Amino acid sequence: MVAVSTGWLVSIGVRLVYPTLLPAIRTDLGLALTTTGLIVTVLWACYALMQFPGGFLADRFGERLILVSSTTLTGIGIGIVVLSIDRLSFFLGTIAVGFGSGLYATTRITVLYDVYPRRAGTAMGFIQAFGNIGTTVLPPITGYLTVAVSWRLGLGFLLPLVLTVAVVLRLVVPARTSGEDTIVESLSWTTLEKLASGLNDRSVLLATTSMFLVSVVYQSFTGFYPTYLVLEKGYSEGVAALLYGGFFATGILLQLAAGSSGDLVGMRVTLTVSLSATTAALFVLPFADNLLTIILLSVLLSSQLAYWPVANAYIVDAMPQEMQGTGNGLVRTVYLLLASIGPVAMGWLGDAGMLNTAFWLLGVTACLALITCWALPEL
């Protein structure tokens, strides 16, 4: 649990320290704003593209090999970025980081489900909360090191941690946590037919739709919340950063609670409660005009983070065991790539002076996800 969760902390943390580094990187490498934005796009696109291969390879060769390879590749990518001498080498390193962290994401879900089948929600809540420690703690450390020394140290300090985690994973994770039966002994039309049959299930389809909608909300909200607070609410960048960090910090507690709640009172109830709070807060946020209200709304908005451990456990539980890694990886690739249109749309609306409208539209999207979750069969 601790080893896999620490690997996830590093995987998600390294992706979320990039925004902290970008101003210094842009100055050092002489990048335009468009190119700076492309860095983030490349990072998350590579992450999304490796969800399906990660699950497929874990089913085929065993979970330990994929987790260790993923973490090692992430470390190699960090090393290339830190030592980069031009834009090409920087982007190659970023691609390696994206591919490496993408390989990890699907397998860490299935490996914990295999080890803790009766407490899958609790296990998912723990690992998601552990990851949020990374998103809360690592960016401020990176920012300090970037200002005090350089952006290369701001990212490079993660390299020893990443490589240590790779060694620990090799020592403590079983070679294979899933059963020996798998549909991916070979990639054939029969394999694809079995995969399609397993995914063509009402529970899986509804859960995937819900995860796509919530991912649109999550990617768009986290990408623009600090900017929104500065431009529309008039707060300083420092206050906006504190509110943003508080959003993730609150999510740590809510994810732990949601995981246990999913096991005790049911996944569908837990999902609908978390999305109800998020939906209400998104609709109210444009009307908020004082700091106390914004703080309270930030707490409510962090309930969207509680959605993910339960949703991840649900969709794995809904799939046949012999295709959990492959099927979950395919689902994650699809909804993460499709949801990436959300931040682009938010930016377009922001340029048009319609950020408040953009957040209302996120509220509508969250409401649609809420309706979808209510229709989920209880497993």
Side-chain angles (χ1 to χ4, degrees), residues 243-321:
L243 289 169
Y244 190 56
F247 165 83
F248 285 109
T250 305
I252 295 173
L253 299 176
L254 292 179
Q255 287 175 328
L256 288 171
S260 299
S261 173
D263 290 332
L264 295 174
V265 303
M267 294 185 181
R268 186 179 66 177
V269 172
T270 304
L271 290 172
T272 53
V273 169
S274 66
L275 289 181
S276 295
T278 300
T279 301
L282 285 170
F283 280 124
V284 173
L285 181 62
F287 299 102
D289 56 4
N290 65 78
L291 183 58
L292 179 59
T293 303
I294 296 292
I295 292 173
L296 293 175
L297 288 174
S298 293
V299 172
L300 285 177
L301 286 163
S302 66
S303 63
Q304 65 185 279
L305 299 173
Y307 166 91
W308 290 107
V310 182
N312 285 331
Y314 183 96
I315 200 162
V316 173
D317 195 27
M319 292 182 184
Q321 184 178 10

Side-chain angles (χ1 to χ4, degrees), residues 159-182:
L159 186 55
L161 175 60
V162 171
L163 297 180
T164 300
V165 169
V167 173
V168 173
L169 288 169
R170 175 64 181 81
L171 294 175
V172 304
V173 176
R176 179 180 289 278
T177 60
S178 57
E180 293 297 327
D181 293 334
T182 173

Side-chain angles (χ1 to χ4, degrees), residues 188-237:
S188 63
W189 282 113
T190 301
T191 298
L192 296 177
E193 289 172 358
K194 291 181 179 179
L195 182 61
S197 176
L199 294 178
N200 190 24
D201 175 85
R202 180 170 179 266
S203 300
V204 174
L205 292 175
L206 284 173
T208 301
T209 301
S210 170
M211 295 173 88
F212 159 66
L213 293 169
V214 178
S215 188
V216 170
V217 174
Y218 175 77
Q219 291 186 33
S220 303
F221 176 82
T222 55
F224 280 88
Y225 191 42
T227 301
Y228 177 74
L229 291 173
V230 172
L231 295 181
E232 294 294 331
K233 302 302 182 182
Y235 294 115
S236 67
E237 292 182 0

